[in-house]
Amino acid sequence: MDLTFEIIDALWRPSFVLHQSRVRRQSLLLNVISWERSALNPKNRVDRLPETGVSQSRPRWRIDGSATFKTRFYAIPLDLLESDRLPPLRIDVFLPDQGTYSPALRQTLDAMTGVPLQHQPAVAALGISRYVCRVLDIYCSRDPTFLQRYLRLPFGSRIIINKVVPDVNKVDVAVEPNYTLEGLTTSIDHVHEAWTRNDVPTGRWPPTISLLDLRLVRQLHDSVALVKVLQCKESPELQNIVAIFKSGSDDFHHVLHELNLLLTLPHHPHIIGTPLAVVTKKSSFGAKQGVYGFLIPYLSSGSLRDVLPSRSLAQILDLSTKTRWCTEVTSALIHVFEKGKTFFSDLRPDNVLLDNAGHAILCDFEQRGSWHEWCPPEVLYPQYVESLLHSQQGSKIPGWDSLVLSYTRKRPTQATGESYVSSKNRPWFALSRQSQEKAMVYTLGLFIYCVFEGLSSVSPSLRYRFAIDPDISFPVFRRTPTSIQNIIRQCTSDAPQFQVPHSA
């Protein structure tokens, strides 16, 4: 099946059962190609795209990655980057759904095959990534003042390509300043006042640093950038260090939630430490110093998502190392639950980093929840209903009202003091403490499975393709010792894969 953002977004959601006929029709239409729209027709071909790694045709823009299934690209202007003038402004490039491209362009630009890719070099090599760079090159050559205006754009502004057409000289590019996002920031004074009153000791507050005193090195993820610190007046020892800047791209609720959690959580050797600094920026209108995120140490060894399969394939991942990583992560989870009095809902190999000594470090405390394949049943099924409620696609189906009523009767509401963050992850926040612990044990079992099998995730995914994809799915065992298999089965005893269908 050819993949587009709309199709893949529909396929992974439980609401797919309600509109699978529409998705099937859309998929069939993508394969109906006339000569007028064929890739063999010369008029439909893109004349020239820059080659990756070829200096004479190297564009002045670089693609560091993408989000929203290749309709949002992290495009970096190299003229600003290489002259050390580029703060991490999160000005991304937005494209329409791949289904709107002509068949010829979908083929030429790798538009369909690239949808689930996550590995940065693979994303940068896509035809659509090179197309975006070429379009931006042309736009800058026609408007030599654009990069200067780029530096004055608000954080999170957008560059929009309204239609993907064969002739890159005819692409319509629009720049959309995002003053709304700036207005959503919370002032550092308000955060200080509220949090000092609520359990954050004054001595644990990190220094404040201006966003404009950071320089982008690389955008690693939707909410994670590698940056260099030019200066920090409150903490001069941070000058010239390279760190991770954790921020939001559409709002700042989860970033502030994570910052608060990290400031209140007691220290643990296998949990990412207290932030190095809080990142602020003065509002374009008024004097508010809004909080945009925070800095944490950069661990260059990366995450277990890539380390596990690469070392496993190279046969350099020994049993003692696997056991140590699982022990360290287990210790961190117990600390979060017992000392932090909260839960960790996002356990996956990509949220476990390695420090310079090769020890496991747990990160990502936004508490958004995890992918469906990582969710315990008591979280997964309510999450399905939340998704159905959000889509409202089933409102005319028999039994819909009773399904919704039976769930919403138990669901927390804004009237009971529900926060924005908890409203986005109701299934986890609604659990009792005992049930949260049980759910954490379930995800730990899946994590142990990935470690001992040397996998980037518990199963291959339609939504995501990594540098090395899993070639088996939980609970198939090939490398895991029997004793560890028993532990995994005990942790995940109520996994759907272990449930025996009842006979008629």
Side-chain angles (χ1 to χ4, degrees):
M1 174 188 288
D2 287 333
L3 296 177
T4 68
F5 163 56
E6 286 192 5
I7 288 177
I8 202 168
D9 188 61
L11 285 173
W12 79 272
R13 297 182 188 277
S15 53
F16 171 66
V17 299
L18 306 178
H19 47 225
Q20 55 182 305
S21 58
R22 177 183 63 80
V23 174
R24 186 180 295 111
R25 285 195 303 272
Q26 185 178 350
S27 178
L28 291 173
L29 286 174
L30 291 175
N31 294 305
V32 178
I33 304 173
S34 65
W35 169 251
E36 185 66 20
R37 307 182 71 198
S38 169
L40 300 176
N41 190 332
K43 78 177 184 65
N44 293 326
R45 300 173 188 167
V46 179
D47 288 338
R48 183 170 66 91
L49 292 175
E51 297 293 331
T52 54
V54 180
S55 58
Q56 61 267 29
S57 64
R58 189 167 72 94
R60 300 309 302 159
W61 290 75
R62 182 184 77 196
I63 299 298
D64 278 357
S66 64
T68 324
F69 303 116
K70 305 305 169 294
T71 60
R72 180 175 190 166
F73 287 83
Y74 316 143
I76 312 301
L78 295 179
D79 287 338
L80 297 178
L81 184 78
E82 293 170 358
S83 60
D84 210 22
R85 293 184 292 150
L86 183 61
L89 295 174
R90 281 313 311 275
I91 300 172
D92 296 341
V93 178
F94 290 78
L95 280 72
D97 182 80
Q98 295 85 353
T100 65
Y101 302 5
S102 70
L105 286 177
R106 290 200 296 266
Q107 178 180 331
T108 303
L109 302 180
D110 314 309
M112 302 299 197
T113 56
V115 168
L117 289 182
Q118 299 295 307
H119 188 46
Q120 189 276 329
V123 172
L126 289 172
I128 187 61
S129 298
R130 293 182 285 132
Y131 179 94
V132 169
C133 290
R134 179 65 181 144
V135 167
L136 294 176
D137 273 347
I138 293 171
Y139 186 77
C140 287
S141 67
R142 289 175 176 170
D143 183 359
T145 67
F146 172 64
L147 291 183
Q148 292 305 314
R149 291 190 289 111
Y150 181 100
L151 290 174
R152 296 193 295 271
L153 287 171
F155 183 93
S157 294
R158 300 181 171 204
I159 300 173
I160 300 173
I161 295 176
N162 291 303
K163 187 176 182 180
V164 176
V165 298
D167 189 345
V168 290
N169 292 289
K170 295 181 179 179
V171 175
D172 177 32
V173 177
V175 179
E176 185 179 282
N178 190 350
Y179 294 103
T180 301
L181 186 60
E182 183 179 83
L184 295 176
T185 60
T186 304
S187 74
I188 185 65
D189 291 338
H190 177 81
V191 171
H192 266 289
E193 180 183 353
W195 291 3
T196 303
R197 193 170 59 241
N198 296 321
D199 304 328
V200 179
T202 305
R204 292 207 72 181
W205 273 101
T208 299
I209 188 170
S210 170
L211 178 79
L212 301 180
D213 286 331
L214 303 177
R215 290 296 177 265
L216 181 70
V217 176
R218 182 174 290 276
Q219 189 70 38
L220 301 177
H221 184 266
D222 187 42
S223 61
V224 176
L226 186 63
V227 298
K228 182 178 72 174
V229 178
L230 284 189
Q231 62 175 350
C232 181
K233 295 177 182 178
E234 295 183 18
S235 188
E237 65 272 16
L238 294 180
Q239 183 173 344
N240 292 325
I241 72 161
V242 175
I244 292 295
F245 172 41
K246 185 73 183 285
S247 184
S249 56
D250 297 308
D251 64 66
F252 302 102
H253 295 286
H254 286 92
V255 170
L256 286 173
H257 179 79
E258 181 175 15
L259 175 60
N260 181 276
L261 201 155
L262 291 176
L263 290 176
T264 55
L265 186 66
H267 173 74
H268 188 277
H270 301 297
I271 293 177
I272 201 75
T274 302
L276 303 174
V278 176
V279 179
T280 65
K281 181 179 178 292
K282 185 178 179 181
S283 174
S284 302
F285 306 98
K288 180 178 75 171
Q289 287 285 349
V291 176
Y292 282 76
F294 54 88
L295 299 183
I296 54 176
Y298 169 54
L299 303 180
S300 59
S301 297
S303 75
L304 290 186
R305 186 194 74 186
D306 296 324
V307 170
L308 284 171
S310 61
R311 290 193 187 180
S312 182
L313 287 174
Q315 299 184 345
I316 55 173
L317 189 57
D318 57 73
L319 190 63
S320 63
T321 301
K322 295 177 182 179
T323 303
R324 175 166 55 81
W325 287 343
C326 291
T327 303
E328 291 169 346
V329 169
T330 302
S331 173
L333 292 175
I334 292 172
H335 182 81
V336 169
F337 187 76
E338 294 186 349
K339 301 298 183 182
K341 307 297 181 185
T342 188
F343 60 88
F344 189 82
S345 60
D346 306 81
L347 184 59
R348 301 187 305 268
D350 51 325
N351 286 333
V352 178
L353 307 175
L354 292 182
D355 66 13
N356 293 335
H359 294 292
I361 305 294
L362 199 63
C363 70
D364 195 349
F365 286 80
E366 293 186 358
Q367 294 185 320
R368 287 181 183 266
S370 199
W371 305 336
H372 288 166
E373 57 266 32
W374 282 87
C375 290
E378 61 268 35
V379 169
L380 179 63
Y381 302 139
Q383 192 166 294
Y384 278 172
V385 182
E386 288 284 346
S387 178
L388 292 169
L389 283 171
H390 180 73
S391 69
Q392 287 296 318
Q393 292 290 326
S395 54
K396 297 181 180 179
I397 291 179
W400 173 265
D401 290 340
S402 61
L403 170 67
V404 170
L405 184 62
S406 64
Y407 175 69
T408 54
R409 205 183 280 126
K410 303 175 183 178
R411 181 171 89 164
T413 64
Q414 292 290 352
T416 61
E418 182 183 41
S419 70
Y420 177 88
V421 171
S422 62
S423 74
K424 297 300 181 182
N425 189 13
R426 284 194 180 98
W428 270 94
F429 279 93
L431 294 175
S432 66
R433 283 278 292 163
Q434 183 179 3
S435 295
Q436 287 175 348
E437 182 180 26
K438 179 176 179 290
M440 288 172 65
V441 169
Y442 181 97
T443 62
L444 176 61
L446 295 181
F447 174 78
I448 294 172
Y449 170 78
C450 289
V451 171
F452 278 88
E453 290 297 325
L455 303 175
S456 54
S457 190
V458 289
S459 63
S461 172
L462 181 68
R463 296 181 67 205
Y464 302 110
R465 285 182 54 198
F466 306 119
I468 305 174
D469 280 327
D471 57 348
I472 57 172
S473 297
F474 175 80
V476 175
F477 293 101
R478 289 186 310 196
R479 302 182 179 93
T480 306
T482 303
S483 58
I484 303 298
Q485 290 185 33
N486 292 334
I487 293 174
I488 293 170
R489 287 193 174 95
Q490 289 176 28
C491 292
T492 60
S493 59
D494 53 353
Q497 295 90 334
F498 292 142
Q499 305 309 307
V500 179
H502 294 289
S503 58

